[in-house]
């Protein structure tokens, strides 16, 4: 039986055991009318039974999935000749791989090596046995634990507390998954970055002003030696994010103020979804809008004014990115403004303050933490955005503060470093991880600073 | 004896307010005021005067429209789109709903204290200085300090907070917060103070302090107060108006209303038979 089929069966059994648990508890109570004598409700008994059926079985399945290949391999190796066993680990794994392929394939004449064929047959037998054993063991576990728990039911049995704590444990494990995933990502980036810093000095990386990651792969190849100064990339990222925020922050915030304080309900119900559509447009669409419409427009305007504008410019990418993140700013700021108690606004209006005075002096300070949060999310979006920059700002790693020049960003470089055929021992590839790590640290720092600022200036209402 | 509310009001169409709605020296006079929320009429043909330097108490069961009426007096209902007001509302003879009347200036003249204390999340000083700053009432920092201190003194809060004027207004107790709100309202030197159940969220001791304060404030200001507590109305007001289902049933001197009400509905309410 395959694992998928097993999981399906366990699910069905779990659902069934819920019913079994309920019925059993009613029977223990002595009928539906006697339920009030029980410590817990039948549903709680049912839930507990279901947990007892599903969780141990699934856990066993998981454990089996980890242990089975190891045991089968060791059995297989034991059955082979001493001569084969003496092979180096790399050769042995190649040899075993051949056997596995032969065992899995229906073509018996894949190889005419009799020893391997025999081993493949043996492997198949082992696998079949393991499968039967696994299915049997898991189903027995599920049924046995249901029977065990059901046999313990009595009037004073506290199914409520037990099922509650199991539920709590389930929630806990879900949140742990998220935390460990983050940690895992961080670790993988960190270790690859350490590899990178073995070949490139961290000072060169952090403070170098030339980015040219091309590296000669063979000794006879003509090519650059590679320069990994990340400063131009971060400068480009900051430049584009800054342009984007100078558009998105004021427009988004003022939109939010208008929508939450001035707009009529009708206008609000139309305008808000419209704005949110803006957030739903794929960034690649924004990208070609930037590259095909905005960038040429900027170049033509610049030329008309006698300026020298690159056909791919930071300004084009920044403006379009700014438009893209307006809805983030406006939607979240709108929520923050609406969360300010109406009593505060009325209090201010009743003092004879105008609406704009009230907004400036009462609403905005009170909503500040939410608004800063919105801005931060927008900045994170801007820093992490890749597609628009690839299409509209180019790939040239220029260190410049001129918004009319072509620049590139950290994320764009990560993409170019990691697409196509790569070797994972070259600094060129590993640089992507170092960039990722730096980006992570930058965003983290931004968050920490913003939190500090908010804590200092927030006006707390309750 | 209990009387069902329904039988009391069924078929009883209120056409005239019982008692004398006219004051000798009115600060505000309202005539034939109707208030609608969309199609629903919340206030029906109410006429009443607020006598100068007196406390007028608006009493009545929940939902009778007394808060709605109070909020018309400084145009706080302007913030509600669906609210429409008809009739004449005069402040010292000026129509407060006239096109030329600026609601912002009106609200500086007619201040309001709300049911739940709503200090701004700013320091005690800034709370009181808020209005004077907005209206440019203080020429210098010293002027402003002066206004803040006298306002806090008038609200009877100064002694308690004089050492912590820079700490947050939201950190005060409920009663102190409400007195801070009163101080804030006084700071812009209004002519009238409207109070919407100012003591309903407070404990008896804080309530007593507020009531004493209201009694002192009437020397300088005209006060209208909505209250659920009839004892409170009896203690602090000179005139009492009884509202019932959007109509003004009876107006009279507080002594008269509480000892010898003329209308059956008023009597039922103040004797606690319903409401």
């Amino acid at each position: 039986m395959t694992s998928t089929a097993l999981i399906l069966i366990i699910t069905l059994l779990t659902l069934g055991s819920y019913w079994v648990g309920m019925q059993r508890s009613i029977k223990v109570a002595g009928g539906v009318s006697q339920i009030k004598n029980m410590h817990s409700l039948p549903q709680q008994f049912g839930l507990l039974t279901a947990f007892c059926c599903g969780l141990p079985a699934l856990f066993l399945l998981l454990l089996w999935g980890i242990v089975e290949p190891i045991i089968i391999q060791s059995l297989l190796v034991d059955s082979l000749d001493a001569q084969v066993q003496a092979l180096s680990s790399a050769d042995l794994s190649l040899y075993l791989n051949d056997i596995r392929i032969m065992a899995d394939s229906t073509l018996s004449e894949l190889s005419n090596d009799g020893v391997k064929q025999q081993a493949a047959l043996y492997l198949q037998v082992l696998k079949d046995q393991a499968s039967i054993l696994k299915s049997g063991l898991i189903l027995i576990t599920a049924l046995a634990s249901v029977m065990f728990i059901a046999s313990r039911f009595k009037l004073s049995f506290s199914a409520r507390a037990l099922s509650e704590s199991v539920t709590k444990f389930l929630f806990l494990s879900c949140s742990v998954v998220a935390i460990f995933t983050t940690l895992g990502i961080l670790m993988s980036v960190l270790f690859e970055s350490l590899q990178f810093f073995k070949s490139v000095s961290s000072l060169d990386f952090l403070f170098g002003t030339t980015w040219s990651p091309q590296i000669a792969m063979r000794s006879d190849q003509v090519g650059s030696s590679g320069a990994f100064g990340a400063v131009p990339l971060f400068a480009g990222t900051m430049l584009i994010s800054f342009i984007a925020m100078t558009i998105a922050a004021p427009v988004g915030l003022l939109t939010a103020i208008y929508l939450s304080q001035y707009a009529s309900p009708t206008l609000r119900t139309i305008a808000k979804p419209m704005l949110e559509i803006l957030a739903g447009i794929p960034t690649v669409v924004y990208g070609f809008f930037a590259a095909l419409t905005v960038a040429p427009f900027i170049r033509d305007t610049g030329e008309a004014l006698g300026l020298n504008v690159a056909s791919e410019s930071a300004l084009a990418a920044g403006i379009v990115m700014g438009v893209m993140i307006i809805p983030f700013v406006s939607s979240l700021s709108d929520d923050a403004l609406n969360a300010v108690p109406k009593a505060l606004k009325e209090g201010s209006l009743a003092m004879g303050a105008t609406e704009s005075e009230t907004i400036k002096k009462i609403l905005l300070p009170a909503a500040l933490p939410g608004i800063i949060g919105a801005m931060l999310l927008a900045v994170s979006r801007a820093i992490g955005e890749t597609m628009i920059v690839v299409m509209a700002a180019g790939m040239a790693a220029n260190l410049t503060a001129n918004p009319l020049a072509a620049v590139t960003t950290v994320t764009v470089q990560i993409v170019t470093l990691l697409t196509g055929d790569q070797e994972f021992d070259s600094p060129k590839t590993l640089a992507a991880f170092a960039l990722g790590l730096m980006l992570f640290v930058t965003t983290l720092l931004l968050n920490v600073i913003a939190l500090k600022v908010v804590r200092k200036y927030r006006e707390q209402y309750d | 004896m209990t009387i069902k509310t329904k039988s009391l009001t069924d078929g009883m169409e209120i056409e005239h307010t019982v008692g004398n709605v006219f004051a000798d020296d009115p600060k505000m006079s309202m005539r034939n005021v109707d208030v609608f929320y969309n199609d629903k009429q919340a206030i029906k043909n109410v006429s009443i005067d607020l006598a100068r330097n007196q406390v007028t108490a608006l009493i009545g069961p929940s939902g009778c429209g007394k808060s709605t009426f109070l909020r018309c007096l400084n145009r706080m209902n302007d913030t509600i789109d669906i609210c429409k007001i008809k009739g004449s509302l005069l402040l010292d003879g000026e129509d407060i709903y006239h096109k030329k009347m600026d609601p912002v200036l009106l609200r500086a003249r007619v201040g309001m204290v709300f049911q739940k204390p709503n200090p701004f999340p700013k320091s005690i000083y800034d709370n009181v200085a808020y209005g004077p700053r907005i209206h440019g009432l203080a020429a210098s920092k010293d002027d402003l300090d002066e206004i803040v201190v006298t306002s806090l003194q008038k609200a009877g809060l100064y002694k308690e907070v004089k050492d912590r004027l820079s700490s947050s207004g939201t950190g005060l107790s409920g009663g102190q917060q409400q007195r801070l709100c009163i101080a804030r309202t006084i700071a812009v030197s209004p002519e009238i103070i409207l109070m919407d159940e100012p003591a309903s969220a407070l404990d008896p001791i804080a309530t007593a302090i507020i009531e004493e304060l209201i009694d002192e404030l009437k020397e300088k200001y005209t006060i209208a107060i909505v209250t659920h507590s009839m004892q409170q109305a009896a203690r602090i007001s000179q005139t009492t108006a009884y509202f019932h289902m959007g109509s003004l049933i009876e107006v009279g001197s507080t002594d008269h209303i509480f000892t010898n009400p003329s209308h059956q509905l008023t009597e039922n309410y103040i004797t606690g038979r319903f409401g």
Side-chain angles (χ1 to χ4, degrees):
Chain A
M1 216 179 302
T2 64
S3 293
T4 323
L6 259 179
I7 289 175
L8 198 68
I9 292 174
I10 293 172
T11 313
L12 289 174
L13 279 178
T14 306
L15 291 176
S17 61
Y18 179 80
W19 184 82
V20 169
M22 269 178 76
Q23 295 308 314
R24 168 78 190 153
S25 69
I26 291 170
K27 206 174 159 208
V28 169
V32 178
S33 56
Q34 301 300 313
I35 285 171
K36 59 181 185 300
N37 295 329
M38 298 281 281
H39 175 279
S40 310
L41 291 170
Q43 295 94 295
Q44 289 153 353
F45 280 103
L47 198 62
L48 184 65
T49 322
F51 282 145
C52 279
C53 172
L55 292 180
L58 287 176
F59 181 70
L60 195 64
L61 186 63
L62 192 72
L63 200 66
W64 193 283
I66 297 168
V67 173
E68 191 200 71
I70 302 170
I71 294 177
I72 287 190
Q73 180 163 332
S74 73
L75 284 174
L76 186 63
V77 172
D78 281 347
S79 77
L80 294 170
D81 295 342
Q83 188 187 342
V84 178
Q85 283 175 29
L87 286 170
S88 74
S89 69
D91 287 340
L92 183 63
S93 100
L94 269 178
Y95 193 89
L96 290 175
N97 219 24
D98 276 354
I99 297 173
R100 279 198 201 100
I101 290 169
M102 283 167 69
D104 285 344
S105 91
T106 46
L107 302 166
S108 54
E109 61 279 354
L110 202 70
S111 156
N112 43 15
D113 184 338
V115 182
K116 276 188 184 173
Q117 265 175 2
Q118 215 160 14
L121 283 176
Y122 179 58
L123 178 63
Q124 223 154 15
V125 171
L126 278 179
K127 275 189 167 176
D128 288 347
Q129 283 173 348
S131 173
I132 294 167
L133 200 61
K134 175 173 79 171
S135 312
L137 203 62
I138 284 171
L139 293 181
I140 287 168
T141 309
L143 293 174
S145 36
V146 168
M147 278 161 74
F148 170 74
I149 199 76
S151 70
R152 307 255 332 243
F153 285 179
K154 52 186 182 217
L155 289 183
S156 62
F157 190 88
S158 172
R160 177 169 47 224
L162 274 173
S163 61
E164 273 302 299
S165 43
V166 176
T167 315
K168 205 167 90 184
F169 171 76
L170 281 180
F171 286 133
L172 176 75
S173 33
C174 284
S175 51
V176 164
V177 166
I179 294 168
F180 276 93
T181 315
T182 317
L183 276 182
I185 293 173
L186 185 62
M187 285 298 153
S188 79
V189 171
L190 190 67
F191 286 127
E192 302 290 353
S193 304
L194 289 179
Q195 284 285 318
F196 171 74
F197 286 123
K198 272 180 199 157
S199 50
V200 177
S201 118
S202 54
L203 284 179
D204 284 352
F205 178 72
L206 289 177
F207 301 109
T209 52
T210 326
W211 177 262
S212 162
Q214 274 63 42
I215 258 190
M217 286 185 180
R218 300 186 308 273
S219 50
D220 59 332
Q221 206 171 25
V222 185
S224 39
S225 55
F228 294 96
V231 172
L233 305 189
F234 280 92
T237 304
M238 292 306 151
L239 178 63
I240 291 185
S241 303
F242 178 75
I243 297 171
M245 286 311 286
T246 50
I247 300 215
V251 175
L253 185 57
L254 296 183
T255 308
I257 291 173
Y258 178 74
L259 282 180
S260 70
Q261 303 302 322
Y262 293 103
S264 69
T266 339
L267 185 72
R268 209 180 129 80
T269 46
I270 299 170
K272 240 198 142 178
M274 293 274 277
L275 260 174
E276 271 147 23
I277 287 176
L278 215 54
I281 299 175
T283 55
V284 72
V285 177
Y286 278 112
F288 63 68
F289 174 65
L292 301 181
T293 315
V294 178
F297 173 76
I298 290 174
R299 190 189 54 218
D300 295 345
T301 318
E303 271 167 7
L305 294 171
L307 293 169
N308 185 17
V309 186
S311 61
E312 289 175 321
S313 64
L315 191 60
I319 288 174
V320 174
M321 199 190 282
V323 172
M324 181 193 84
I325 55 184
I326 285 172
F328 288 89
V329 178
S330 72
S331 197
L332 290 170
S333 306
D334 187 27
D335 293 344
L337 285 168
N338 279 326
V340 177
K342 206 166 166 245
L344 286 184
K345 189 186 172 190
E346 288 201 324
S348 170
L349 289 178
M351 305 278 303
T354 63
E355 203 141 355
S356 68
E357 282 165 345
T358 303
I359 289 165
K360 218 162 45 201
K361 298 196 170 158
I362 303 295
L363 288 177
L364 286 181
L368 187 71
I371 292 171
I372 298 281
M375 296 295 174
L376 262 187
L377 194 73
V379 172
S380 312
R381 272 305 299 246
I383 290 178
E385 175 51 38
T386 316
M387 216 55 223
I388 294 176
V389 189
V390 173
M391 296 170 91
M395 301 275 195
N398 296 324
L399 179 56
T400 173
N402 176 10
L404 303 176
V407 295
T408 191
T409 66
V410 177
T411 49
V412 169
Q413 286 308 312
I414 292 178
V415 170
T416 42
L417 290 174
L418 285 184
T419 40
D421 285 341
Q422 302 299 339
E423 28 176 8
F424 267 74
D425 52 357
S426 142
K428 184 188 170 210
T429 315
L430 292 172
F433 294 95
L435 286 177
L437 185 68
M438 281 288 295
L439 206 54
F440 180 82
V441 172
T442 315
T443 351
L444 195 71
L445 277 180
L446 258 175
N447 277 295
V448 171
I449 293 168
L451 264 181
K452 284 251 156 86
V453 170
V454 165
R455 222 169 269 157
K456 181 149 189 229
Y457 291 104
R458 82 185 297 189
E459 294 189 340
Q460 200 162 10
Y461 56 84
D462 40 23
Chain B
M1 181 178 103
T2 52
I3 296 174
K4 282 180 191 156
T5 312
K6 202 162 193 261
S7 66
L8 275 169
T9 51
D10 263 358
M12 198 181 268
E13 197 54 43
I14 295 107
E15 288 176 358
H16 299 291
T17 303
V18 178
N20 184 16
V21 301
F22 304 109
D24 295 335
D25 183 13
K27 179 71 187 170
M28 284 191 90
S29 356
M30 278 58 69
R31 295 290 174 266
N32 309 101
V33 176
D34 291 316
V35 179
F36 298 87
Y37 289 117
N38 282 338
D39 296 333
K40 195 176 158 285
Q41 189 165 6
I43 295 289
K44 296 167 190 160
N45 196 24
V46 168
S47 299
I48 188 175
D49 283 350
L50 298 186
R52 199 180 299 272
N53 293 354
Q54 280 199 5
V55 178
T56 306
L58 312 181
I59 61 170
S62 295
C64 69
K66 54 195 190 304
S67 287
T68 299
F69 186 71
L70 192 75
R71 288 167 61 93
C72 291
L73 303 186
N74 69 344
R75 295 185 58 174
M76 281 307 283
N77 281 339
D78 286 15
T79 55
I80 301 166
D81 292 330
I82 56 168
C83 184
K84 296 275 172 297
I85 294 146
K86 286 182 193 164
S88 102
L89 297 92
L90 306 179
L91 169 61
D92 284 335
E94 278 179 276
D95 182 0
I96 64 170
Y97 279 89
H98 192 274
K99 272 185 210 139
K100 284 186 183 159
M101 175 60 83
D102 182 354
V104 167
L105 292 178
L106 172 72
R107 289 180 199 142
R109 292 172 67 189
V110 186
M112 188 160 197
V113 177
F114 294 84
Q115 178 172 6
K116 192 168 168 273
N118 58 348
F120 301 132
K122 299 176 184 294
S123 71
I124 294 171
Y125 184 95
D126 286 339
N127 259 284
V128 183
Y130 183 77
R133 277 181 182 145
I134 280 178
H135 296 293
L137 298 181
S140 65
K141 178 85 176 76
D142 289 346
D143 276 4
L144 192 61
D145 288 350
E146 166 92 30
I147 293 176
V148 169
V149 171
T150 46
S151 305
L152 283 170
Q153 278 168 343
K154 280 187 204 162
L157 188 61
Y158 186 64
K159 275 184 201 154
E160 291 159 56
V161 301
K162 65 173 188 285
D163 299 326
R164 46 171 177 152
L165 288 178
S166 58
S167 58
S168 175
T170 51
L172 297 171
S173 75
Q176 288 174 327
Q177 286 189 9
Q178 195 62 297
R179 275 180 284 151
L180 178 61
C181 292
I182 292 174
R184 187 174 78 184
T185 309
I186 299 172
V188 289
S189 317
E191 297 157 32
I192 300 174
I193 302 175
L194 308 175
M195 297 187 173
D196 190 354
E197 300 182 40
S200 66
L202 306 181
D203 65 71
I205 294 167
T207 303
I209 297 173
I210 299 271
E211 285 181 6
E212 233 168 85
L213 175 61
I214 293 172
D215 207 47
E216 288 164 25
L217 289 176
K218 76 167 191 290
E219 306 293 328
K220 298 194 80 173
Y221 310 99
T222 302
I223 294 172
I225 178 169
V226 163
T227 177
H228 261 119
S229 155
M230 281 171 281
Q231 289 83 349
Q232 187 172 68
R235 280 193 297 263
I236 61 174
S237 70
Q238 285 72 54
T239 308
T240 298
Y242 174 66
F243 281 76
H244 186 96
M245 297 185 67
S247 300
L248 180 56
I249 306 297
E250 185 167 354
V251 183
S253 79
T254 301
D255 290 343
H256 178 77
I257 293 258
F258 280 98
T259 52
N260 189 18
S262 311
H263 199 286
Q264 185 63 39
L265 283 170
T266 317
E267 189 182 336
N268 289 338
Y269 183 70
I270 64 166
T271 52
R273 284 187 197 146
F274 85 102

